[in-house]
Amino acid sequence: MLIVTLLAFLSICDGYRVLLFFPIPGKSHSILGEAYIRHLVNAGHEVTYITPIPIKTPPARVRQVDISETAGLLSEELFNIEKLMYKELDLQQISLFEVVLRNFLNGTLHGKAMHKFLHDPKEEYDVVIVEWLYSELGSGLSTVFNCPLIWSTSTEVHSGIISLIGDDLNPSYAINIWDRDFSSPLYRFKNLWTYLENKYNKWTYVEPENLIFEQAYRTAVELRGRRLPSFDEVRFNASIMLGNSHIAAGESYPLPQAYKMIGGYHLKGVMEPLPKDLQKIMDEAKDGVIYFSLGTMLRSSALPEAKKRELLTAFSKLKQTVVWKHETPMSNVPKNVHVLQWAPQQSILAHPNTILFITHGGLLSLYELLDVGVPLIGIPMFGDQFTNINRAVLKGFAKRFDIGEQPVSQLVEYIKEMIENPLYRQRAKEMSLVFHSHVVPPGQELVHWVEHVIKTRGAPHFRSVSMRLHFYQKYYLDLLTFILLLLSTIVYVAIKILKRKTPVDLKKHE
Ligand SMILES: *[C@@H]1O[C@H](CO)[C@@H](O)[C@H](O)[C@H]1NC(C)=O
Ligand SMILES: *[C@@H]1O[C@H](CO)[C@@H](O)[C@H](O)[C@H]1NC(C)=O
């Protein structure tokens, strides 16, 4: 008992001040941000949370900087479900997204609350954790507070993030996670093109981004008596990257030591109890429950009305009970369908009668189903959802349904096949085993690495050696240039000599 008290005391004394920058106004992003808070506060640290979605009653030792004022810059219209369904809106273009996010971050960093926070000399931190989403502009916080930088990423591994802490991943095998498909044998060539295109785009951003970086941080850094380094010096200087990725959902890539895989850290480990009526419905569903939800960013209530009717008619012919998360009440609902405005998703998935999850394929939902080993039918809409689902299909515990292109009858066929064939459930259970195979839970690992970075003043030992070299050195372009120059000189000289000899030879011949 004494030891426990002593340990608790020590951990409070050891509490560090952590700055958490999670600027994206999306529910799944705030779930990830709040999970950091939970783990760090439980470990005795103080957290300052910069967020557009403040927690209503934050725990002790948490202070919030509310940046909701500028959240409207990332328009909701961007995620219009109907336009996405029929591909009138293409969010798969990274360049478009990058520009939107750059402008959004520029606006955020210039917001009133942010400006005041950055220019308050009383603010001091031991480390800053910055959420990366197609922009590195948040990295300047590490310069303002003169503390180590930790990147937090919300998707599976891809070159855009890995290049910040090590070598780019080779596009011959490392797919672009925004592609709708990567199964074609020609994909390797297409992907090289995408990769080069992204590189080129990035290069065109250098000027506006440097400008934003200067405008946002210069005065705050100079106020603290230091000079502002270049944007490149800062954004490629992170100590580690905490990635919301997991081998059970992603693929095995060669990764730098500074990349720490903590996918699943948002799971609470304790299930909320189900509402009483739902518990009863699910307990009594002897043929099983199918859970249908399109996530938090897109709402299934935004589906076209005709499509919803079609789905309801199709569901009415099933023996199973369907639990549909739909944000508004629905009329004329068949007996075996139960509509919920809000659903405790993890608890529904964990119910022993749940046999199938129909989902948009967001990574958090994927982890929630891997946690309990339930197979899925994915209805991808945007972002990495296509890739997440394609990978689950390859792993054998999923089917993909394109709602804008395939008829609802196809969905019904998939449902029947996945329920009748036990292989899908078995694969889901196997991948669930992989999902739970860790030495310590991901939340504990998160805390460990954050503390490690602070204790070792930036964990320079994790820094990839490849970061020491320039692009041309890594790929021996200097050597190649030298060899090419040498060869062309030899050829040039040889031609000169031959040309001089020729007239002499000719004369001899005469
Ligand atoms: C960033 O935002 C500020 C303030 O709104 C604006 O004056 C500036 O032009 C923006 N910079 C860029 C490069 O968009
Ligand atoms: C890079 O990170 C190290 C370790 O956190 C820090 O000491 C150094 O000041 C940083 N440099 C820049 C330019 O951010």
Side-chain angles (χ1 to χ4, degrees):
M1 192 57 217
L2 181 67
I3 290 174
V4 175
T5 325
L6 203 65
L7 280 178
F9 180 68
L10 280 177
S11 70
I12 288 169
C13 283
D14 269 341
Y16 294 119
R17 286 155 306 177
V18 180
L19 179 61
L20 200 57
F21 182 62
F22 267 66
I24 309 299
K27 179 82 176 129
S28 47
H29 296 271
S30 68
I31 290 175
L32 289 172
E34 287 173 27
Y36 270 95
I37 296 182
R38 206 171 62 238
H39 295 301
L40 290 168
V41 166
N42 285 346
H45 306 300
E46 277 172 41
V47 179
T48 297
Y49 184 39
I50 305 179
T51 174
I53 312 177
I55 310 170
K56 284 212 186 68
T57 46
R61 292 202 295 271
V62 174
R63 194 160 63 88
Q64 305 193 85
V65 178
D66 181 348
I67 51 166
S68 54
E69 165 203 8
T70 45
L73 293 170
L74 210 58
S75 147
E76 293 239 340
E77 187 53 24
L78 206 55
F79 301 99
N80 181 309
I81 203 167
E82 193 168 344
K83 285 194 188 158
L84 284 172
M85 234 173 96
Y86 298 109
K87 309 227 157 44
E88 282 163 31
L89 178 66
D90 190 358
L91 284 185
Q92 303 313 101
Q93 254 183 301
I94 295 185
S95 55
L96 172 102
F97 218 66
E98 281 169 336
V99 173
V100 168
L101 278 150
R102 181 216 301 162
N103 291 335
F104 167 71
L105 277 169
N106 181 37
T108 301
L109 292 170
H110 280 95
K112 266 202 221 86
M114 209 50 207
H115 185 86
K116 181 160 167 279
F117 178 76
L118 288 173
H119 291 82
D120 183 349
K122 287 198 290 296
E123 298 288 350
E124 280 182 39
Y125 294 95
D126 296 309
V127 71
V128 52
I129 302 172
V130 176
E131 179 187 27
W132 183 94
L133 195 73
Y134 292 97
S135 170
E136 290 97 45
L137 284 166
S139 59
L141 289 167
S142 70
T143 309
V144 173
F145 301 109
N146 200 19
C147 64
L149 168 70
I150 295 179
W151 284 123
S152 163
T153 57
S154 51
T155 64
E156 271 300 332
V157 173
H158 58 96
S159 253
I161 54 178
I162 297 305
S163 60
L164 293 171
I165 52 167
D167 278 338
D168 282 20
L169 295 168
N170 187 328
S172 66
Y173 57 79
I175 61 162
N176 165 22
I177 61 161
W178 283 44
D179 275 331
R180 290 198 176 86
D181 270 303
F182 51 81
S183 52
S184 144
L186 293 179
Y187 179 78
R188 194 162 54 92
F189 302 106
K190 175 177 177 270
N191 200 36
L192 175 63
W193 177 250
T194 317
Y195 170 81
L196 294 173
E197 210 181 359
N198 288 344
K199 282 275 157 200
Y200 171 77
N201 287 339
K202 271 278 187 204
W203 177 74
T204 64
Y205 303 154
V206 168
E207 211 177 308
E209 282 187 335
N210 281 348
L211 196 68
I212 295 176
F213 184 78
E214 284 237 5
Q215 287 175 344
Y217 297 113
R218 175 176 293 287
T219 50
V221 172
E222 285 178 352
L223 182 87
R224 289 171 168 83
R226 276 175 281 114
R227 79 167 182 98
L228 184 72
S230 76
F231 183 32
D232 272 355
E233 278 176 82
V234 178
R235 64 171 152 175
F236 292 110
N237 191 43
S239 301
I240 58 167
M241 178 177 280
L242 295 172
N244 180 38
S245 65
H246 199 294
I247 208 73
E251 280 165 303
S252 178
Y253 285 143
L255 294 173
Q257 295 285 325
Y259 186 85
K260 307 294 178 193
M261 207 177 262
I262 55 163
Y265 71 93
H266 79 287
L267 297 171
K268 289 198 178 120
V270 281
M271 296 290 171
E272 277 172 78
L274 288 169
K276 270 213 184 73
D277 48 341
L278 183 61
Q279 179 82 47
K280 185 160 177 290
I281 290 165
M282 293 189 72
D283 287 345
E284 285 168 3
K286 63 177 190 339
D287 291 305
V289 173
I290 298 169
Y291 176 50
F292 181 28
S293 165
L294 293 183
T296 50
M297 199 81 144
L298 301 166
R299 296 158 179 277
S300 35
S301 54
L303 279 174
E305 201 54 41
K307 196 54 110 184
K308 283 194 230 175
R309 284 293 137 204
E310 254 186 276
L311 286 168
L312 283 176
T313 315
F315 290 157
S316 73
K317 296 188 187 121
L318 297 171
K319 279 189 300 191
Q320 286 74 23
T321 300
V322 177
V323 174
W324 185 343
K325 197 206 104 186
H326 189 278
E327 299 69 22
T328 51
M330 262 196 285
S331 55
N332 295 328
V333 175
K335 268 218 296 291
N336 65 330
V337 178
H338 295 275
V339 176
L340 296 175
Q341 263 96 68
W342 176 85
Q345 175 156 307
Q346 289 182 48
S347 313
I348 294 177
L349 291 174
H351 192 286
N353 284 347
T354 303
I355 50 174
L356 185 63
F357 182 18
I358 305 179
T359 165
H360 61 312
L363 214 44
L364 300 188
S365 287
L366 214 62
Y367 293 157
E368 285 163 24
L369 72 87
L370 279 167
D371 188 31
V372 288
V374 171
L376 77 132
I377 294 179
I379 306 185
M381 292 287 173
F382 72 95
D384 58 348
Q385 294 164 3
F386 297 90
T387 304
N388 296 340
I389 291 167
N390 290 346
R391 283 175 171 156
V393 171
L394 286 175
K395 290 188 163 101
F397 64 97
K399 287 247 179 246
R400 168 172 156 182
F401 175 66
D402 289 295
I403 196 166
E405 286 151 34
Q406 291 173 294
V408 169
S409 57
Q410 181 66 64
L411 175 67
V412 176
E413 260 174 56
Y414 285 161
I415 293 177
K416 288 192 172 142
E417 189 194 334
M418 291 194 69
I419 289 173
E420 277 156 26
N421 187 345
L423 216 57
Y424 294 98
R425 260 182 97 71
Q426 196 184 315
R427 281 302 285 159
K429 291 281 177 224
E430 281 167 19
M431 290 325 286
S432 180
L433 186 116
V434 175
F435 185 71
H436 288 288
S437 287
H438 36 56
V439 181
V440 294
Q444 209 173 316
E445 197 167 334
L446 178 164
V447 172
H448 172 84
W449 291 125
V450 172
E451 290 174 352
H452 179 85
V453 165
I454 299 170
K455 283 181 202 158
T456 61
R457 274 175 290 135
H461 42 279
F462 276 132
R463 191 166 177 74
S464 169
V465 286
S466 76
M467 299 298 272
R468 289 186 209 147
L469 298 182
H470 285 291
F471 175 78
Y472 68 86
Q473 294 170 316
K474 268 193 256 185
Y475 298 101
Y476 290 98
L477 297 185
D478 44 358
L479 179 63
L480 191 69
T481 313
F482 174 72
I483 290 173
L484 286 178
L485 272 177
L486 194 67
L487 282 180
S488 44
T489 313
I490 290 172
V491 170
Y492 178 77
V493 170
I495 289 174
K496 275 274 174 196
I497 292 173
L498 282 178
K499 269 201 180 150
R500 243 205 297 162
K501 265 191 183 162
T502 317
V504 182
D505 287 351
L506 281 176
K507 263 181 207 157
K508 262 189 195 166
H509 215 70
E510 282 165 10

